[in-house]
Amino acid sequence: MKPIKTIIRLLAIASLLMWLATPAMAFHDGGVAYCNGCHTMHNSENGQSIIPGGVPGVTGDSLTKGADPSSTCLNCHSGSGSYHVFSTTGGNLTPGGDFYWLTKTLTFPSRPGSTTMKTRNGRNCGHNIVAADFGLVADSDLTQAPGGTFPSAQLACSSCHDPHGKIANNTRQIMGSGSYGDPTPAQGVLGNYRLLGDVGYRPAPTTTFTNPAPTATTARTSAANETNSNHTDYGRGMSEWCSNCHTGFIAAGVGAHRHPASNTATLGSNLSTNYNMYVRSGDLTGTSATAYLALVPFERQISDRTQLSSTTTAGASSSSNAMCLSCHRAHASAFTNAGRWDFEVQFLVDSHPQTTDTGAIATDQLNSYYGRDVAAVFGTGQRSLCNKCHIQD
Amino acid sequence: MTMILQLGRSLRAKRYLSAIFVSLLVIGGIAVGQMWADVQPAYLYNLSGFNGPVHLNWGQIGIDQTRDEIYVTDPKTGAIIIFNDKGMEIHRFGEDGSLGAVSGVAVNDSGQILLLTQIDAKPAILICDYKGQPVSKLTLKNLPPEFSAFSAERIVIRHERIYLLDQGALLIVVTDEEGVFQFGYDIGRLLAVSEKKRLATQISGFSVDGEKNILFTIPVLFTAYKLTPEGKIFSFGRPGSAPGRFGVVGGIVADDEGNLYVADRLKSVILIFDKNFNFQMEFGYRGNKSNNLIGPKDLGLDSHHRLYISQLNSRGVSVFKLNYK
């Protein structure tokens, strides 16, 4: 009888272990993933340190398995398509952008037709996360976040995304991702949009977030390439959230000499009308039902993620507002300052990269505008996309 | 009262004994597994040029079995670098980016180099001569309707067939050397992956063994697969950190004995399984010593039992000799 009980107990333990080891389709599922997916418990595998040159048992930064937090993230998220954010082609056309652009050094004429050459260094094109395994290094120009004090040397994926997916003051179970506009389940809650750090999140000793994660809904990874009808639909709070690090860049208007960007930076009737009628330079025949341009997104001032739609083509209303991501991408872009378009040229067709640029590959030009042939879509006379709201062209 | 305490102690002791027994089984199994491994890898060298090891990250490896040459893509420059059977660079082309972003390279029996790249923003299979000069494009012919949107991202040439993988769509197409469709597999359907989850599932490692089995891995499922020519699919692997478990799996190849080699990018090891998927051993581990590995991803195996491993941290491609008992 006793052996049978022992066998039953062992089988029960084995079953429990097998259940615990069941693979999950979505690694994060809106909250914390399984611990040893990212961390080593004892900094040792088969008696050897997992840190290059390290000593077994002497732990490294946060016990992560990569050389640093971002290298750990990129171990999964480096690649092409779907959930990847760092490709070798610039072909990840996700709303946040492809860290590929940080690795590009382009040389081209300083002006169309000029013989004077200029160089665009990738480090000026996005958030320079430190990922030693992948050759991504700290920004050598800026030692701190513009408008704030976050140290560039500590910039990592986890500076913005909370890998543990915590929600401020939450006491309920996180049941799934909060990125896709799903309703809150009765038994718990959904995670923050893109696992963005919430109030109280402390990605560096000098920085504690005081603004909550924003409301937004995005396309599922199976259709992640951004288009005008497949995009992130922004609700509210994005600029406030960015100001957790870029404190000095929150909307202040004319007095602070900064472009307004916040929940209060509403477009009003004039700018929203502009947005909706503007199709391209010289073409103001647009209608509000189809006016949405993913290259110039805005927030709709909607707090309920289920009321947002990643497939809507609807334009702005007077209560919509400008935000940081109206002009910039969160990760990186082909253009300086992570611009959604090239801020350095008068006409978009003169944007770089171009196929003739030294350092460019054949697909760079098309990928820089997310698959758009600028001349075909907007015409050769298209000026800066600032005009989508301001119509000065 | 005393009896209850004694009973409690007795039950606790049994639990401890059970736990120790289970632990011994696990540890013993691992130790025995490593002792019994029929193959032992030994570090040889890194693929090099005249200035030392060639530094690149996560290059795609293609082995020309006929001429014993190794082809590696450099994702950063777009170059394709060719090494001889001693591991020395003998030629490179495409470093000016003119061939676009090359995602795969393979060589056919006549020495033509096939590149997966993009031309005018559309996926293309470029046929180049032995110098890397483009001579034509390979067009896939007679694709059935269910494969009409097929976009090749990985390529293997073996058994006079071209094996192509669409990583996101979970589709595999096999053609003859002229690109004429022979047969195809909808891996998503075979594994019952819903349409919604298909692109997020993504295949990583991809190769073909000597018995025409197609081998592949799916990182988010922590699983490696063997697809037989008859369409039967076998899988192995479980998530975890312990030896034999999968972190983030990458490349997979099989040797002539049927042993399977699986790269684990997160654990920084190569895991070896026998032909029955029994774990044998793992080697590498993150570190800067020559026999360590950092983020191993793509694998290649030549006819001299040499295993080629592409890595991160500018470590290029490490080469290990597989010694059999």
Side-chain angles (χ1 to χ4, degrees), chain A residues 27-28 72-81 83-87 92 134, chain B residues 58 265:
Chain A
F27 183 74
H28 298 285
T72 306
C73 301
L74 290 177
N75 215 304
C76 282
H77 291 283
S78 176
S80 296
Y83 51 89
H84 297 112
V85 296
F86 182 34
S87 75
N92 288 334
F134 293 82
Chain B
W58 278 359
R265 293 145 53 175

Side-chain angles (χ1 to χ4, degrees), chain A residues 253-300:
Chain A
V254 177
H257 303 288
R258 298 205 187 284
H259 189 290
S262 74
N263 289 330
T264 59
T266 52
L267 300 181
S269 60
N270 287 344
L271 293 177
S272 61
T273 300
N274 284 355
Y275 188 99
N276 294 339
M277 66 195 294
Y278 188 92
V279 177
R280 60 178 71 86
S281 293
D283 182 350
L284 304 179
T285 61
T287 61
S288 60
T290 57
Y292 189 84
L293 177 62
L295 289 176
V296 193
F298 53 85
E299 284 181 318
R300 297 185 190 275

Side-chain angles (χ1 to χ4, degrees), chain B residues 256-292:
Chain B
D256 294 340
E257 311 294 318
N259 295 311
L260 294 144
Y261 303 82
V262 181
D264 190 317
R265 293 145 53 175
L266 191 61
K267 290 170 62 180
S268 289
V269 297
I270 305 299
L271 300 100
I272 306 178
F273 297 83
D274 70 15
K275 62 183 176 185
N276 298 316
F277 313 133
N278 297 311
F279 174 65
Q280 300 296 294
M281 67 171 298
E282 60 185 32
F283 67 95
Y285 300 104
R286 174 175 280 274
N288 289 330
K289 292 177 187 167
S290 56
N291 60 350
N292 287 140

Side-chain angles (χ1 to χ4, degrees), chain B residues 86-116:
Chain B
K86 304 292 186 291
M88 280 298 290
E89 179 179 338
I90 52 175
H91 183 53
R92 68 169 62 199
F93 60 95
E95 62 268 45
D96 58 355
S98 58
L99 299 173
V102 177
S103 62
V105 57
V107 184
N108 64 21
D109 285 346
S110 56
Q112 289 177 315
I113 305 164
L114 276 68
L115 303 177
L116 295 183

